[in-house]
Amino acid sequence: MLFQVGGQGTRPTFFEMAAAQQLPASLRAALTYSLGVFALRRPFLHKVLDYDDEFFALLMMVLESHSLRTTDASFSESLYGLRRRAVKIIHKKHSSNMESNDKIHHSGLEKHQKVASVAFLVILPYIKSKLHYIYNKEREARLQASLWGHDDARFDDTGFVLDQGESSHSQIEASSVEGSRMTHLKKRIMEIIACCYPWIHATNEGLSFAYQLLYLLDATGFYSPDLHALGIHVCRATGQELMDSSSRISRIRSRELERLRGPLWLKAVQRVLLSCVYTTLDYAQTGLIAAVFFFKMMEWWYQSAEERMSAPTVYPPPPPPPQPQAAKDGIPLPPDRTLCPLCSQKRVNPSVIAVSGFVFCYACVFKYVSQYKRCPVTLMPTTVEHIRRLFHDL
């Protein structure tokens, strides 16, 4: 999965591009879940979860910047062996018929394209997540207001009486007016975002769907409108490109080590720090994927163990109670079980007495129980509410 070099052509498939695009969202969900699990035992991690957008954006900015600097690809694209190439259209003219012929040429990314790629990969998703959060918050506020009504009576910190002269009252009034203006402005901005965000989100999703559909049909070489705006194609990396990227990384790091200035002990400390940074960046991609896989495996393991421990114990059903014995002074049971003990005829509308379990004709048992308040066979006390009709013949 990490590298798919030497595929059919340099153009990635739709599924490779889709997997590379969805990887950051999956990685964020896995990291948030892992931090949530750790926060159950370490409450201080809740502060990190409160600013998960900022921490994840900072992490992705470091990873995307390093990946674009060293491999000319984003963090997720480099995992699938993909590279970003700038699109240049070369105009050629034939000498025979003087007709122009356009040819697409791919070249490496320039510095401004790498900076713009980081902005599209990190800053825009961060802004989208914040707008989505504001939209959801405003929608919940509107829903709550529609259900419970508006509550304009709010208590302020300045709602008490001060007896310190007119200057104190004027300062309080000025701060109250300024605070109300800021609150009104903030509320107005949130209302504008709540009104405009659905249209912006729908437009973005529609454009993304259109580009993906055209890419799937080989009608365009751009998988998303972001790549089209940057003028960048995503191509498969060849073996030579992987070797070139490795040598380029070595040259960049050697130049950075040569630029170190200061005493020998300071250079040694800087070299150690840079070596640690390089090692972390080299194994960041594989380490993050392995950590996510490890956490999900541990979650499954402990969840399965907890389910086994908390599962209710299944006991065998208890044996049925013994059959009640017929009383000496009661009505004897007929030898044929299909006959009613009261009328000695074949049972009509069979009914059972719940306290004893013997079956009679409904009319016979109802009349007997209504008169004597007991079972005819066992003489156990009962009422007509204990008579149950049987419909086994239906």
Side-chain angles (χ1 to χ4, degrees):
M1 186 191 78
L2 295 180
F3 295 101
Q4 298 181 2
V5 183
Q8 295 180 358
T10 59
R11 186 176 185 272
T13 63
F14 175 83
F15 300 101
E16 289 175 323
M17 295 297 297
Q21 187 183 35
Q22 296 173 2
L23 183 61
S26 302
L27 180 61
R28 176 178 179 174
L31 290 177
T32 304
Y33 176 80
S34 303
L35 288 176
V37 173
F38 282 120
L40 296 176
R41 295 180 176 271
R42 299 292 185 269
F44 70 90
L45 291 176
H46 285 288
K47 296 181 180 179
V48 179
L49 292 176
D50 293 338
Y51 300 95
D52 57 342
D53 292 335
E54 288 74 14
F55 280 101
F56 186 76
L58 182 61
L59 174 64
M60 292 306 297
M61 180 170 289
V62 174
L63 295 178
E64 299 290 4
S65 301
H66 176 262
S67 181
L68 286 167
R69 182 186 179 189
T70 55
T71 63
D72 285 346
S74 67
F75 169 74
S76 57
E77 291 167 355
S78 61
L79 289 176
Y80 289 91
L82 306 178
R83 295 292 182 269
R84 294 193 169 199
R85 296 290 178 261
V87 178
K88 294 182 179 180
I89 301 178
I90 302 175
H91 299 279
K92 293 184 177 180
K93 293 184 178 180
H94 297 283
S95 58
S96 59
N97 51 10
M98 298 296 293
E99 294 180 354
S100 62
N101 183 19
D102 296 338
K103 182 179 179 182
I104 296 177
H105 175 69
H106 295 95
S107 61
L109 296 180
E110 298 180 1
K111 186 176 181 179
H112 70 277
Q113 290 178 326
K114 295 181 181 180
V115 174
S117 297
V118 173
F120 275 90
L121 290 171
V122 179
I123 299 177
L124 283 184
Y126 173 75
I127 296 175
K128 289 178 183 178
S129 64
K130 285 300 179 183
L131 292 177
H132 187 71
Y133 171 76
I134 295 174
Y135 170 73
N136 287 335
K137 188 176 181 180
E138 183 67 19
R139 186 177 62 177
E140 292 177 359
R142 289 184 178 182
L143 180 60
Q144 185 177 3
S146 63
L147 293 176
W148 302 102
H150 296 279
D151 188 10
D152 296 333
R154 291 183 174 85
F155 296 97
D156 297 328
D157 294 336
T158 59
F160 50 87
V161 179
L162 293 177
D163 192 8
Q164 296 180 357
E166 296 179 356
S167 60
S168 300
H169 289 287
S170 61
Q171 291 177 0
I172 292 173
E173 291 178 359
S175 61
S176 178
V177 171
E178 185 178 358
S180 62
R181 288 179 180 177
M182 292 298 296
T183 303
H184 179 73
L185 180 61
K186 182 179 179 180
K187 184 178 180 181
R188 188 62 179 171
I189 292 175
M190 292 185 67
E191 290 178 353
I192 293 174
I193 293 174
C195 293
C196 298
Y197 176 76
W199 297 98
I200 297 173
H201 181 69
T203 302
N204 180 55
E205 293 295 324
L207 284 175
S208 300
F209 175 77
Y211 270 88
Q212 292 174 10
L213 182 61
L214 293 176
Y215 187 87
L216 182 63
L217 299 176
D218 284 341
T220 182
F222 301 100
Y223 180 78
S224 65
D226 299 344
L227 294 175
H228 197 175
L230 293 172
I232 292 174
H233 277 176
V234 179
C235 308
R236 281 199 184 96
T238 61
Q240 185 63 35
E241 289 177 342
L242 295 177
M243 296 174 61
D244 294 340
S245 63
S246 299
S247 60
R248 183 169 62 253
I249 293 172
S250 300
R251 290 195 301 270
I252 292 173
R253 292 180 177 178
S254 62
R255 286 198 300 266
E256 291 179 351
L257 292 176
E258 291 175 356
R259 292 175 184 175
L260 298 178
R261 296 290 183 271
L264 294 178
W265 65 269
L266 183 59
K267 288 184 178 180
V269 173
Q270 292 176 351
R271 285 178 180 274
V272 172
L273 293 177
L274 285 177
S275 300
C276 295
V277 171
Y278 294 153
T279 304
T280 304
L281 292 175
D282 288 339
Y283 294 98
Q285 296 176 348
T286 307
L288 283 175
I289 301 300
V292 170
F293 175 76
F294 175 76
F295 288 139
K296 296 301 289 184
M297 184 184 67
M298 295 302 294
E299 174 202 359
W300 168 81
W301 179 269
Y302 284 109
Q303 185 176 4
S304 300
E306 290 178 359
E307 289 178 354
R308 290 194 299 268
M309 294 176 63
S310 61
T313 306
V314 180
Y315 296 100
Q323 184 179 0
Q325 299 295 327
K328 294 181 180 180
D329 299 333
I331 299 175
L333 295 174
D336 189 0
R337 293 186 176 184
T338 61
L339 299 180
C340 175
L342 291 173
C343 64
S344 299
Q345 301 294 327
K346 189 173 180 64
R347 287 191 296 262
V348 180
N349 293 331
S351 301
V352 63
I353 297 179
V355 297
S356 62
F358 291 102
V359 182
F360 309 87
C361 295
Y362 179 75
C364 299
V365 72
F366 185 85
K367 183 178 180 181
Y368 185 91
V369 172
S370 299
Q371 183 177 0
Y372 298 102
K373 306 297 183 184
R374 64 184 183 182
C375 175
V377 178
T378 62
L379 303 181
M380 298 173 63
T382 184
T383 60
V384 293
E385 286 80 9
H386 296 152
I387 300 175
R388 301 289 184 267
R389 299 283 298 274
L390 300 178
F391 300 96
H392 62 279
D393 293 337
L394 298 179

